[in-house]
């Protein structure tokens, strides 16, 4: 469209509209970058153009297609993605691949700094999992009953997410920008790696298991560095942190499996509840303390799981819809 970097203010305005809409080309991106960089009043103009665009915005086919592409990446039965301010989500998806250099190459994007901070949320309901792609290219898979939240100011320079529940993270590498997973137990800080974090609010433990790369666990005034094959475990009751080698990565839930070598029935209860979207009451505390081995790898139904528990622990099981009672 433009054969040199010298464009008029009106041409820059049209390119800015294309940027906001997520349809700008690579060449036009360079021209707009040059205009912003070399024009003293460009920052104020960019902000004014954003306000004009917002007041008259109608999603373009490309933007809507970008949103649908993102939505299709999320498991059909697994996700409740809250479409808060759709234009911002879609524009991030449409621009992520080609516009990172523009947005952050010139320092900061004034519209994102001056606009009120908002949060986007992806949830995996009980009985399902969810996968989402973040604006920086990082991929997150959530286990059942989990929620991931990030700010509208999430960027390649400030990559911070908040996790309640359990997630698998495949983080896009950025040497100069750390990626932080905040939980109510501790923060996990990385730059590019693969790891699991489990931080369900009702669980007694917060765990991080590293598959590849390295992570730093920031807990209070202490920092714990993990190597692949290691796990950091915070006991919420004692506030003690422990790092250990692991033989299994607890990754079975990504394939819909449950595989536990040594677990109490009480510890197993929330795992089964989240996996099958049921509510389980264990009638006796001594029964809840009984330990067992369980491996569910064949898409077993909840009835099959309860039948196996009856045989293994010699207990009684009563089920009424989503409610299950286990008795001695």
């Amino acid at each position: 469209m433009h054969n040199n970097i010298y464009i008029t203010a009106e041409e820059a305005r049209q390119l800015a509209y294309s940027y906001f809409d997520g349809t700008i080309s690579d060449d036009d991106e360079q021209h707009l970058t040059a205009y912003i960089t070399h024009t003293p009043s460009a920052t104020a103009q960019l902000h004014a153009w954003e306000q004009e665009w917002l007041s008259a915005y109608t999603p373009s086919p490309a933007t809507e297609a970008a949103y649908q592409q993102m939505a299709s990446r999320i498991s059909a039965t697994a996700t409740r993605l809250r479409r808060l301010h759709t234009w911002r989500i879609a524009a991030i998806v449409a621009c992520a691949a080609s516009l990172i250099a523009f947005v952050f190459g010139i320092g900061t994007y004034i519209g994102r700094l001056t606009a009120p901070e908002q949060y986007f949320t992806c949830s995996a309901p009980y009985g399902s999992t969810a996968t989402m792609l973040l604006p920086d290219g990082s991929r997150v898979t959530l286990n059942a009953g989990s929620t991931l939240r990030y700010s509208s100011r999430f960027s390649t320079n400030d990559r911070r997410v908040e996790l309640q529940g359990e997630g698998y993270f495949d983080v896009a590498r950025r040497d100069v920008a750390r990626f932080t997973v905040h939980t109510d137990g501790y923060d996990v800080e990385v730059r590019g790696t693969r790891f699991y974090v489990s931080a369900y609010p009702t669980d007694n433990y917060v765990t991080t298991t590293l598959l590849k790369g390295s992570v730093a666990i920031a807990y209070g005034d202490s920092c714990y560095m993990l190597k692949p094959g290691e796990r950091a475990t915070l006991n919420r009751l004692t506030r003690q942190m422990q790092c250990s080698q692991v033989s299994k990565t607890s990754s079975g839930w990504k394939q819909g499996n449950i595989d536990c070598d040594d677990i109490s029935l009480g510890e197993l209860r929330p795992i089964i509840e989240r996996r099958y979207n049921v509510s389980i009451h264990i009638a006796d505390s001594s029964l809840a303390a009984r330990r067992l081995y369980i491996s569910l790898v064949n898409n077993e139904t909840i009835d099959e799981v309860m039948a196996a528990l009856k045989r293994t622990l010699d207990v009684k099981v009563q089920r009424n819809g989503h409610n299950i009672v286990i008795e001695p």
Side-chain angles (χ1 to χ4, degrees), residues 48-68:
W49 292 336
E50 182 198 24
Q51 299 307 311
E52 293 175 4
W53 178 81
L54 281 174
S55 64
Y57 174 70
T58 300
S60 70
T63 301
E64 284 299 315
Y67 181 84
Q68 293 303 323

Side-chain angles (χ1 to χ4, degrees), residues 166 186 194-198 206-212 215 226-234 242-252 259 261:
E166 186 170 15
Y186 51 65
R194 297 175 182 174
F195 58 99
Y196 290 89
V197 179
S198 180
V206 178
T207 63
T208 298
T209 306
L210 181 63
L211 303 184
K212 179 181 179 181
V215 303
L226 293 187
K227 298 177 182 179
E230 292 184 336
R231 174 179 296 161
T233 302
L234 171 66
Q242 180 180 7
C243 296
S244 60
Q245 293 282 338
V246 293
S247 57
K248 293 185 178 181
T249 62
S250 303
S251 61
D259 191 5
D261 286 337

Side-chain angles (χ1 to χ4, degrees), residues 21-34:
D21 194 41
T23 59
I24 194 170
S25 68
D26 291 343
D27 288 341
D28 285 344
E29 168 208 329
Q30 295 177 10
H31 299 318
L32 185 56
T33 301

Side-chain angles (χ1 to χ4, degrees), residues 75-150:
S75 303
T77 61
T79 305
R80 293 179 299 177
L81 180 61
R82 300 176 186 173
R83 194 170 173 178
L84 302 178
H85 293 265
T86 304
W87 73 268
R88 285 198 178 275
I89 301 176
I92 288 172
V93 175
C95 298
S98 62
L99 297 184
I100 293 298
F102 166 64
V103 176
F104 304 103
I106 63 174
T108 56
Y109 167 44
I110 187 64
R112 297 182 67 181
L113 291 179
T114 59
E117 186 174 18
Q118 298 157 359
Y119 285 89
F120 308 122
T121 302
C122 181
S123 299
Y126 276 21
S128 56
T129 61
T131 298
M132 66 181 301
L133 191 67
L134 294 173
D136 69 335
S138 298
R139 185 179 296 273
V140 184
T141 301
L142 298 177
N143 200 357
S146 302
T147 298
L148 188 80
R149 190 175 83 139
Y150 67 95

